[in-house]
Amino acid sequence: MDAPIIRINDLSKSFGKLTVLNGLSFDVMKGEKLALIGPSGSGKTTILRILMTLENISGGRIEVCGEPLFHMHRNGQDVPADEAHLHKMRRHIGMVFQHFNLFPHKTVLQNITLAPTLTKGEKRIDAEKRARELLDMVGLADKADYMPVQLSGGQKQRVAIARALALSPEIMLFDEVTSALDPELVEEVLQVMQRLAVETDMTMLLVTHEMGFAREFADRVLFFDQGRIVEAGPPEQIFQAPQEERTRTFLRKIIASRHGM
Amino acid sequence: MEWDWEFTYSILPLLLQGLKITVLATILGAIVAASLGLVFALMRRSPNRLLSRTTGFFVEFIRGTPLLVQLYFIFYILPDIGLRLSPLTAGVVGMGLHYATYFSEVYRGGIEAVPRGQWEAAKATNLTIRQTWVNIILPQAIPPMIPAMANYLLAMFKETPLLSAITVMEMMSQARSIANSNYRYIEPMTLVGVFFLIVSIISVFGLRWLERRYGRQGR
Amino acid sequence: MGDWAGYLTLILAGTWVTIKLTVMGCAVALVVAFIAGLGRVSRHATLRWLSTGYIEFFRGTSIFVQLFWIYYVLPLIGVSMTPMQAGVMALGLNVGAYGAEVVRGAILAVPRDQYEACIATNLTRYQRMRHVILPQALPLMLPTFGNNAIELLKATSVVSLISLADMTFQAQVVRSQTGNTIVPFVTILILYFILSSLISFGMRYLERRASRGAEGVR
């Protein structure tokens, strides 16, 4: 944990007239496990989507692994990145989606091996060997030849995690990965993520509404509201002694809703 | 061969006369198709299985065979059984019958798209069958059908050149007879194409408007 | 009665021409539909415009006019074709324009999620289309492609008007030689219906196979 692997500087993003992020800056250290929390519409998911280059930025600058993400140097000048540059930069980053986004026409195994064979030129046999190891790790070794429709939500999400890991990214983005799951399936996914957090030195960014998990998982928590960081700090501070009124209000509401009030 | 503008101007009146017949045939054909289509749709919904099955087969048969052959059939056969129709009437009947099968699918789709809950709600509020159709089902079923119907109207317009095969003097017949008597194909054929293109392009905008207006309505 | 056998042979020869026209027309239509359909969703504005122009032109003018134009006008600028070639060309280009809209619609119907998953797994644009989008779009295209093929079969009858000896043409020949309308025309109506039923059965078979792949019972 020495150099920042992600540097976000004065980032802004708007959709038409709606400003979602406004002058946002923060760094993420290599190997850090970062949780992004906050009310819906606070811009936390947008940050992950921007890092995955699913959205363009409206202003500011992002560096990933020491290189600008949306800019590139050409003839000594900073110009907007082209597809080739984005393609190169995406090698550093993997993402797991709220709705899994598995490829429905491919088997579980093919879902995992497709990208490594196509984008990294891995041999099929190697890609499959690695895929089976990953499936074993997420506890789905026996489901390799199933189609996604045959799986439960929790199983789908574990396959999605394996698919992202197969590309060996340095940074993993988890976007509300348990929000679309039935309550009884949440735990199996969280366990896999917890194991990843403990056993690997991957940098991980997590957007979640599972406060209990964020607390266990994260080295640092950022609380967002209206496109800005309201409060940042270690989980003990954010969850036990929040400094800001808005953080306290948010946490109170979350706890109240969890207890079904 | 060069394009001859003078010749072009000289044949315009004849072609426009043909266009009138084309439009007339389209409109009359569409009226037949829309009415007959509704009859087919209702017959297919009939609880009498013999009636609904027979209608279903008839509709499939008409849809599965070429309009041109059906036109010949009507044009040549009806006189044999003593029914003398003018070419235009035969053409309108033929096109109307052919497209009635397409319209009946539109009606069917539109009626089936009204949620079951609406029928149940009508029953729960004690409406009669007639009241249910008039006040509940049709007002919801018809607007979404309008773009599809307009689409078939346009399709019928583009099929009218087939009527030239049974000697209806619509635009294409005029063009062919001009071409044959003057040995010049390029101007009449191109002009007919241009007329169709103009009408189609205008219709595309009309269709888009209809789709916005009626296409997706929140329930 | 012996004559009727001869007339039937005539009509069956016409049937063969109709089948050839349908198969070759469909092949041309399929190729053109994919080229223009992919062009419609291309990032290059020029390609989009070219495809849109082609589609609107061929959907906007009637098949009949196109056929006559190709057969009678193109030779005047030096492009001569046999009636068969002109027929295949007109049918293929006309139905291809409708097919292109089907291809476009199916591609756009693949959920955005899938594009995002492709970006997240770093597939290139070509790889996205080839391995993820098209395989999912294809089953969506099949039902409408089936209808298009039937429309193409029905449209083949138009080539009889440029003296290509298809089924409709032969029925006319039989009618003028025998003075009987009912027999030849009922015969070809039934034959057309059999052919269109074959197409729809074939398509339904393909649909079942395709959907089995996506639903996946292994």
Side-chain angles (χ1 to χ4, degrees):
Chain A
M1 266 203 213
D2 34 306
I5 191 166
I6 301 173
R7 314 190 75 135
I8 295 178
N9 195 3
D10 199 23
L11 171 67
S12 58
K13 172 70 187 172
S14 34
F15 296 98
K17 280 184 184 160
L18 179 74
T19 303
V20 183
L21 300 174
N22 194 1
L24 182 71
S25 302
F26 67 90
D27 290 352
V28 183
M29 292 298 161
K30 193 166 163 25
E32 197 175 10
K33 320 290 180 230
L34 191 68
L36 283 61
I37 62 169
S40 45
S42 59
K44 50 199 196 308
T45 286
T46 307
I47 295 168
L48 296 199
R49 293 175 57 82
I50 286 174
L51 285 171
M52 193 64 255
T53 70
L54 297 172
E55 308 281 354
N56 217 326
I57 57 176
S58 309
R61 197 179 167 85
I62 299 175
E63 279 181 19
V64 171
C65 298
E67 266 192 277
L69 183 59
F70 287 100
H71 303 84
M72 53 187 195
H73 299 293
R74 185 163 284 172
N75 307 327
Q77 280 191 317
D78 248 7
V79 294
D82 61 10
E83 182 66 21
H85 178 82
L86 292 178
H87 187 68
K88 190 182 78 181
M89 295 304 291
R90 284 182 202 126
R91 287 170 173 252
H92 301 299
I93 309 163
M95 181 162 180
V96 183
F97 297 88
Q98 180 179 359
H99 295 285
F100 335 125
N101 302 12
L102 292 180
F103 303 130
H105 60 301
K106 303 271 183 200
T107 64
V108 165
L109 194 72
Q110 288 166 341
N111 260 280
I112 302 173
T113 56
L114 183 73
T117 49
L118 290 177
T119 65
K120 302 175 101 181
E122 276 183 28
K123 285 210 197 73
R124 218 179 65 136
I125 188 154
D126 300 334
E128 283 185 1
K129 185 164 169 282
R130 169 108 172 99
R132 287 186 194 281
E133 286 166 14
L134 287 167
L135 279 176
D136 195 36
M137 192 206 86
V138 299
L140 293 171
D142 55 331
K143 299 282 194 261
D145 297 321
Y146 280 53
M147 299 302 280
V149 286
Q150 297 171 288
L151 304 180
S152 72
Q155 291 170 333
K156 281 184 199 169
Q157 197 57 296
R158 286 185 277 154
V159 173
I161 292 173
R163 178 176 73 179
L165 289 174
L167 289 161
S168 320
E170 292 134 83
I171 302 163
M172 276 279 269
L173 311 173
F174 295 93
D175 182 19
E176 302 197 22
V177 292
T178 56
S179 301
L181 298 179
D182 293 335
E184 72 273 19
L185 302 177
V186 169
E187 196 52 38
E188 63 188 52
V189 174
L190 294 184
Q191 271 172 12
V192 168
M193 291 166 65
Q194 186 64 50
R195 245 186 93 185
L196 279 179
V198 175
E199 291 177 9
T200 71
D201 57 355
M202 249 187 303
T203 309
M204 295 164 85
L205 273 70
L206 168 81
V207 167
T208 188
H209 292 296
E210 299 280 339
M211 293 306 142
F213 182 68
R215 187 169 175 173
E216 246 177 275
F217 169 90
D219 304 322
R220 187 156 63 111
V221 178
L222 303 184
F223 173 69
F224 277 82
D225 197 14
Q226 296 174 351
R228 288 168 181 281
I229 298 173
V230 176
E231 189 167 353
E236 304 78 47
Q237 175 200 322
I238 301 288
F239 292 112
Q240 277 162 358
Q243 311 289 305
E244 298 287 329
E245 183 51 40
R246 270 192 285 176
T247 318
R248 281 195 286 271
T249 318
F250 172 73
L251 290 172
R252 252 200 319 274
K253 275 187 195 155
I254 287 266
I255 289 162
S257 71
R258 280 300 132 89
H259 291 358
M261 304 187 23
Chain B
M1 192 180 241
E2 287 290 293
W3 180 274
D4 184 345
W5 280 108
E6 211 163 305
F7 180 59
T8 307
Y9 292 129
S10 74
I11 62 174
L12 261 183
L14 268 180
L15 287 180
L16 284 176
Q17 216 177 318
L19 182 61
K20 257 191 267 173
I21 303 290
T22 295
V23 170
L24 183 68
T26 309
I27 291 172
L28 293 178
I31 292 172
V32 173
S35 343
L36 211 53
L38 185 60
V39 174
F40 287 160
L42 293 177
M43 277 160 69
R44 273 188 111 160
R45 284 182 68 90
S46 158
N48 181 340
R49 290 188 80 178
L50 185 66
L51 183 64
S52 64
R53 287 271 174 90
T54 315
T55 313
F57 179 78
F58 183 72
V59 165
E60 289 302 315
F61 190 87
I62 300 281
R63 268 171 80 105
T65 53
L67 172 59
L68 179 63
V69 181
Q70 292 161 10
L71 288 173
Y72 283 140
F73 193 84
I74 292 170
F75 188 61
Y76 294 126
I77 293 205
L78 290 185
D80 286 356
I81 57 167
L83 252 175
R84 228 155 243 300
L85 299 180
S86 74
L88 182 62
T89 317
V92 166
V93 170
M95 282 220 304
L97 180 67
H98 191 83
Y99 275 90
T101 61
Y102 290 85
F103 274 73
S104 82
E105 288 298 303
V106 176
Y107 287 116
R108 202 166 71 133
I111 292 168
E112 277 170 11
V114 177
R116 262 193 78 77
Q118 294 295 307
W119 291 91
E120 289 169 357
K123 207 169 260 175
T125 46
N126 206 18
L127 300 186
T128 65
I129 298 274
R130 215 189 93 84
Q131 288 166 332
T132 306
W133 276 102
V134 173
N135 297 302
I136 310 296
I137 305 304
L138 289 181
Q140 294 184 64
I142 288 176
M145 294 179 201
I146 289 175
M149 288 191 174
N151 219 344
Y152 283 128
L153 181 71
L154 186 58
M156 290 178 81
F157 176 72
K158 284 183 285 189
E159 292 257 56
T160 50
L162 287 181
L163 299 183
S164 67
I166 55 166
T167 72
V168 177
M169 283 312 275
E170 47 65 67
M171 192 164 44
M172 191 70 186
S173 302
Q174 296 283 14
R176 286 168 76 190
S177 85
I178 292 168
N180 288 330
S181 52
N182 295 282
Y183 300 104
R184 290 194 66 94
Y185 279 94
I186 193 163
E187 293 89 355
M189 290 302 158
T190 308
L191 276 183
V192 172
V194 169
F195 279 136
F196 273 104
L197 202 56
I198 291 173
V199 174
S200 297
I201 289 172
I202 295 171
S203 316
V204 166
F205 288 106
L207 275 175
R208 278 197 201 131
W209 182 81
L210 282 177
E211 253 156 42
R212 271 202 309 278
R213 174 87 175 68
Y214 297 108
R216 297 159 244 142
Q217 282 185 324
R219 286 230 160 79
Chain C
M1 278 311 281
D3 274 1
W4 282 114
Y7 293 135
L8 187 64
T9 320
L10 210 57
I11 284 182
L12 288 180
T15 312
W16 179 235
V17 173
T18 297
I19 292 173
K20 274 201 290 190
L21 270 170
T22 308
V23 171
M24 292 198 281
C26 281
V28 173
L30 199 61
V31 172
V32 168
F34 272 95
I35 294 174
L38 289 171
R40 273 287 255 143
V41 295
S42 160
R43 321 172 261 134
H44 300 289
T46 332
L47 281 181
R48 280 202 307 273
W49 273 102
L50 277 176
S51 310
T52 310
Y54 156 73
I55 292 168
E56 292 304 332
F57 181 82
F58 276 89
R59 294 203 315 168
T61 54
S62 116
I63 172 90
F64 195 97
V65 181
Q66 289 153 21
L67 180 69
F68 270 67
W69 211 87
I70 289 175
Y71 189 62
Y72 289 107
V73 179
L74 280 190
L76 304 177
I77 52 172
V79 188
S80 280
M81 282 190 225
T82 64
M84 188 63 158
Q85 288 166 340
V88 169
M89 181 94 170
L91 291 166
L93 289 177
N94 182 279
V95 177
Y98 288 88
E101 286 295 270
V102 178
V103 170
R104 167 177 168 268
I107 288 174
L108 295 183
V110 174
R112 251 198 85 73
D113 279 6
Q114 292 293 311
Y115 288 89
E116 298 193 343
C118 289
I119 294 177
T121 49
N122 208 10
L123 303 186
T124 63
R125 284 205 169 90
Y126 169 77
Q127 290 167 342
R128 280 174 224 169
M129 215 21 125
R130 158 82 180 72
H131 294 280
V132 177
I133 306 302
L134 277 183
Q136 292 183 63
L138 219 47
L140 304 177
M141 299 175 196
L142 284 179
T144 326
F145 273 172
N147 288 339
N148 288 352
I150 290 175
E151 293 299 325
L152 190 144
L153 164 72
K154 286 157 64 181
T156 56
S157 64
V158 175
V159 300
S160 64
L161 299 167
I162 57 166
S163 342
L164 187 58
D166 76 325
M167 216 146 65
T168 307
F169 186 88
Q170 302 291 32
Q172 288 278 39
V173 171
V174 174
R175 186 182 78 88
S176 61
Q177 287 184 8
T178 61
N180 185 320
T181 309
I182 293 232
V183 176
F185 277 90
V186 168
T187 310
I188 66 166
L189 279 174
I190 292 172
L191 286 170
Y192 275 117
F193 185 62
I194 291 173
L195 291 180
S196 62
S197 304
L198 283 179
I199 294 176
S200 64
F201 283 133
M203 276 299 172
R204 241 170 272 162
Y205 171 75
L206 282 181
E207 273 169 52
R208 264 202 308 277
R209 283 200 48 176
S211 65
R212 202 184 312 154
E215 296 297 313
V217 193
R218 293 214 211 180

